[in-house]
Amino acid sequence: MIIDVRLRPPFKGFKQQFSPAGNKAFSARFGLTSPESVQQISEELMLREMDEAGITCALATGRNGHFRYNVPNDDLVEMTAHYGGRILGAAGLNCADVPQAMADVEKYVINGPLKAVSMEPGACPVPRYADDRRLYPIYEMCQAHRIPVILMLGGRAGPDVSYSNPEIISRIAADFPNARFMVSHGGWPWVQAVLGVCFWQENIWLCPDMYLMNNSGVQDYVAAASTWLQDRFMFGSAYPLMPIGESLAIFKSLFKESVLPKLLYKNAAELFNITIS
């Protein structure tokens, strides 16, 4: 049983992230091969790749207010039905329009089928840091309703590396101690710093996804996830930027068997309230 918490299928608005040449070049930077499902932008081949890897279900994050492209939350609702619940959704929030973002939380998560919210404030046309006080009403709402908040803090989370600084999530997690935050891209390249934050602040989960693949900082992630962080660390393939099968094989090779059930599905099932029969 495996839950991939960062996967985007070739469905409606998500197709904008499928660029055969670009995806191939990106995977190659990590020494990996872009799969045929990406090269052909094939839904059928992606599902086959998931089957071959043993992926039980996946979580796709929406995008709204992003400077490059957007995936409407209505697409995610339709996606959930289209895949029969095998690919679940997190509502993408427009961090430049807080009232609309809160309305989307109400519509798509509290009263809808989506499992979480996803925020990329550094990717707004006018970038914001995730601890910008203007965003606090969203966090307060999510805390009140026990809705997980996925924050992209790592990689290219903004115009420069400061938008991924772990001081940001440390401040937010302290101000909302009963909220639950997942840091996608794992705070990379601030690996030791974000792990230091997670050591003391237990309402933060990490998913390094592609930055765990043949990359610097891997052993620090592994040391933490093998011991004190094993209940708050998750697998994400970052498909279509990375291949599902190869990414999963690398992930499994890094950890001892005793912690893999938590990292591969138990932690994600608990955080996102996913029931798997």
Side-chain angles (χ1 to χ4, degrees), residues 147-168:
I147 297 169
V149 178
I150 300 170
L151 287 170
M152 192 177 83
L153 297 175
R156 296 182 66 182
D160 58 59
V161 74
S162 68
Y163 287 81
S164 296
N165 192 318
E167 293 178 8
I168 295 170

Side-chain angles (χ1 to χ4, degrees), residues 4-256:
D4 184 341
V5 300
R6 193 166 181 86
L7 176 149
R8 287 171 171 147
F11 181 81
K12 289 207 158 185
F14 287 115
K15 287 185 178 180
Q16 297 169 87
Q17 196 167 8
F18 283 73
S19 167
N23 295 153
K24 183 177 182 179
F26 192 85
S27 295
R29 295 179 71 180
F30 294 84
L32 302 181
T33 303
S34 183
E36 199 60 29
S37 62
V38 173
Q39 293 306 298
Q40 295 188 30
I41 314 181
S42 169
E43 185 176 62
E44 180 182 354
L45 291 177
M46 179 204 68
L47 291 170
R48 184 184 303 172
E49 186 177 351
M50 291 175 68
D51 288 341
E52 290 173 351
I55 304 295
T56 311
C57 71
L59 183 73
T61 53
R63 271 184 167 170
N64 279 292
H66 195 277
F67 78 97
R68 289 181 62 193
Y69 73 87
N70 292 278
V71 182
N73 289 319
D74 285 333
D75 283 9
L76 274 83
V77 173
E78 189 174 341
M79 174 202 73
T80 299
H82 177 76
Y83 291 107
R86 188 173 186 187
I87 302 180
L88 305 170
L93 302 186
N94 184 351
C95 297
D97 188 343
V98 171
Q100 182 59 55
M102 295 176 70
D104 285 348
V105 175
E106 182 81 28
K107 178 179 179 180
Y108 294 103
V109 186
I110 297 174
N111 296 313
L114 304 186
K115 292 289 186 178
V117 301
S118 177
M119 300 171 61
E120 301 180 51
C124 291
V126 178
R128 294 182 178 182
Y129 288 96
D131 61 348
D132 189 310
R133 292 281 172 162
R134 289 172 291 184
L135 302 177
Y136 270 35
I138 301 173
Y139 301 139
E140 185 175 2
M141 184 179 193
C142 291
Q143 177 175 253
H145 291 276
R146 298 289 291 168
I147 297 169
V149 178
I150 300 170
L151 287 170
M152 192 177 83
L153 297 175
R156 296 182 66 182
D160 58 59
V161 74
S162 68
Y163 287 81
S164 296
N165 192 318
E167 293 178 8
I168 295 170
I169 187 60
S170 181
R171 283 190 283 268
I172 299 169
D175 288 340
F176 298 93
N178 295 315
R180 299 179 296 171
F181 299 96
M182 187 192 97
V183 177
S184 62
H185 297 338
W188 190 88
W190 305 79
V191 180
Q192 289 192 334
V194 76
L195 291 172
V197 169
C198 290
F199 184 85
W200 295 110
Q201 294 178 267
E202 297 182 0
N203 58 337
I204 305 171
W205 281 250
L206 282 188
C207 177
D209 46 82
M210 60 192 177
Y211 294 106
L212 197 67
M213 309 303 156
N214 301 328
N215 201 15
S216 58
V218 168
Q219 291 309 314
D220 292 318
Y221 285 128
V222 171
S226 297
T227 52
W228 56 268
L229 194 58
Q230 64 183 268
D231 295 317
R232 292 180 286 125
F233 196 91
M234 291 171 289
F235 167 70
S237 66
Y239 180 91
L241 296 178
M242 304 286 273
I244 298 169
E246 278 190 280
S247 297
L248 180 60
I250 291 172
F251 189 96
K252 286 182 173 179
S253 74
L254 294 172
F255 299 98
K256 54 190 178 184

